[in-house]
Amino acid sequence: MNYDFGIIVDMGKNVGSGHLYRCLAIAKELKKHGKTVIFLVKNKKELLLHLGELQFPSAIPSNNSDKHFIANCKKLRALVKNLIIDMPTQNELYSKSLYKTFKTIVIDDAGNKNLYSDLVFN
């Protein structure tokens, strides 16, 4: 299946759930407007604990290092049109690495870092 949006988000014991809940709200709105959404996460177990009854597919491109995760996300280019990135600490790395592969939206506190994106929510 092809997806209109892929969402890269991190959550868990050290990160918390705020980024995920923000992305879930966005995913629900996109779904209301007939868009298809897939979550690209490192920890599928954490995602499923938070999804509850919500129905969104998920993929784990890699649960290794950021470098492997990014490389495996790039392989999904044929399946995902647009990418939303909401990472607590690695938005600069992820946006720089994926910007030329996907149309990207980055959600971040844009302080003292460079973000590479078609659209940034500060």
Side-chain angles (χ1 to χ4, degrees):
M1 178 173 187
N2 291 340
Y3 298 93
D4 296 307
F5 290 88
I7 298 177
I8 295 178
V9 63
D10 203 2
M11 85 276 340
K13 296 174 189 171
N14 298 329
V15 176
S17 302
H19 296 270
L20 174 64
Y21 285 118
R22 176 170 48 210
C23 288
L24 278 173
I26 292 168
K28 287 192 282 188
E29 284 301 312
L30 289 169
K31 194 172 179 181
K32 281 183 193 177
H33 292 280
K35 303 298 180 188
T36 53
V37 178
I38 185 169
F39 281 87
L40 306 173
V41 297
K42 291 182 181 178
N43 189 332
K44 190 170 183 173
K45 183 179 176 183
E46 278 290 330
L47 177 68
L48 294 175
L49 285 172
H50 288 85
L51 283 180
E53 296 178 9
L54 298 174
Q55 298 294 315
F56 287 104
S58 60
I60 309 170
S62 168
N63 59 1
N64 295 319
S65 68
D66 289 320
K67 182 179 176 180
H68 287 112
F69 187 84
I70 289 167
N72 287 324
C73 283
K74 286 181 178 181
K75 293 176 185 175
L76 298 175
R77 177 61 186 115
L79 301 175
V80 177
K81 294 180 190 173
N82 306 289
L83 196 60
I84 297 171
I85 304 169
D86 188 358
M87 299 291 284
T89 60
Q90 296 294 338
N91 277 342
E92 184 172 5
L93 170 66
Y94 277 70
S95 67
K96 185 175 185 178
S97 301
L98 297 170
Y99 172 62
K100 292 183 180 178
T101 306
F102 299 90
K103 293 286 185 185
T104 59
I105 299 166
V106 174
I107 303 170
D108 199 335
D109 299 326
N112 295 328
K113 63 184 108 171
N114 295 315
L115 297 173
Y116 306 83
S117 183
D118 295 290
L119 181 64
V120 174
F121 286 95
N122 183 9

